[in-house]
Amino acid sequence: RLLGKYCESIDEIIIVSVVPRFLVLIKKTLHEICKSVKILVVGKNIVVPIKNKYNKPEEVGQDRLLVSYAAYERYGGPVLAIDFGTAVTFDYVNKSGEYLGGLIFPGIRLSLESLTKKTALLPKINVKTPGALIGRDTHSSMNNGLVLGYASLCDGIIERFIDKYGKNVKIVATGGDAVLISKKSKFIKKINPNLVFE
């Protein structure tokens, strides 16, 4: 309903999605709301202009390619783009602008959900920046474990990238939890939560 008010001023709608069912639903809904607006899908109508050196290029999510391309265009290479979303992805682009691949592991919210659903007594919590190392109750113990654990995990992986590719690798964090984790990271200094939109 909100979008319907602006259809006349929209030239194109661009969708980046790695959820096939959602993509079908959103395209159908957008066509119904903004009948005359052109809808483009990254990976189908728009090709991310980055040289993809993945062993099976078709397996890379368009969101990962887009974040990698944006990080390279914005900050230059070599660059390690870390996207804190449902999954945490590390994606590396070399100095020549070639996407080489990366790592994927569960995001902080996914881990929290698993922790609360798969244990009998651990409560749901709102994650925030910890004020101390040691939690003094269940809530702060969970919170500190998640935030400091993810920051340490990220720092460990970043250190491996620096060891392999050199100290001139730029580290860029984006996504919903980028600010939260970067506050406790030794290596993450460039934070751009809206990199994919840029």
Side-chain angles (χ1 to χ4, degrees), residues 44-61:
K44 291 187 173 33
N45 312 106
I46 298 173
V47 176
V48 179
I50 193 167
K51 192 168 203 174
N52 184 349
K53 304 291 270 184
Y54 220 51
N55 287 340
K56 294 182 179 177
E58 69 280 358
E59 286 184 358
V60 184

Side-chain angles (χ1 to χ4, degrees), residues 54-71:
Y54 220 51
N55 287 340
K56 294 182 179 177
E58 69 280 358
E59 286 184 358
V60 184
Q62 295 300 311
D63 55 339
R64 291 177 67 194
L65 286 178
L66 195 56
V67 165
S68 299
Y69 173 70

Side-chain angles (χ1 to χ4, degrees), residues 168-179:
N168 63 339
V169 174
K170 296 162 191 77
I171 313 298
V172 181
T174 189
D177 288 318
V179 172

Side-chain angles (χ1 to χ4, degrees), residues 4 23 45 56 89 91 94 100 110 163 185 191-192:
L23 179 59
N45 312 106
K56 294 182 179 177
T89 57
D91 290 296
N94 66 17
L100 298 187
L110 199 58
D163 288 346
S185 167
I191 304 139
N192 188 337

Side-chain angles (χ1 to χ4, degrees), residues 60-96:
V60 184
Q62 295 300 311
D63 55 339
R64 291 177 67 194
L65 286 178
L66 195 56
V67 165
S68 299
Y69 173 70
Y72 180 78
E73 285 297 309
R74 180 104 163 141
Y75 302 101
V79 63
L80 179 63
I82 308 167
D83 190 356
F84 291 95
T86 306
V88 176
T89 57
F90 279 66
D91 290 296
Y92 181 73
V93 181
N94 66 17
K95 190 176 181 179
S96 303

Side-chain angles (χ1 to χ4, degrees), residues 35-50:
K35 293 175 175 48
S36 61
V37 176
K38 189 175 186 179
I39 298 174
L40 304 169
V41 178
V42 175
K44 291 187 173 33
N45 312 106
I46 298 173
V47 176
V48 179
I50 193 167

Side-chain angles (χ1 to χ4, degrees), residues 137-191:
D137 54 36
T138 301
H139 180 279
S140 62
S141 294
M142 290 173 66
N143 183 79
N144 296 10
L146 284 164
V147 176
L148 298 175
Y150 268 81
S152 297
L153 181 146
C154 289
D155 282 349
I157 292 173
I158 292 167
E159 210 160 18
R160 289 173 185 256
F161 270 90
I162 291 169
D163 288 346
K164 181 158 179 70
Y165 297 108
K167 291 183 179 180
N168 63 339
V169 174
K170 296 162 191 77
I171 313 298
V172 181
T174 189
D177 288 318
V179 172
L180 175 70
I181 300 303
S182 67
K183 285 180 181 176
K184 295 298 178 180
S185 167
K186 293 187 294 186
F187 294 105
I188 301 171
K189 303 298 178 218
K190 289 182 177 69
I191 304 139

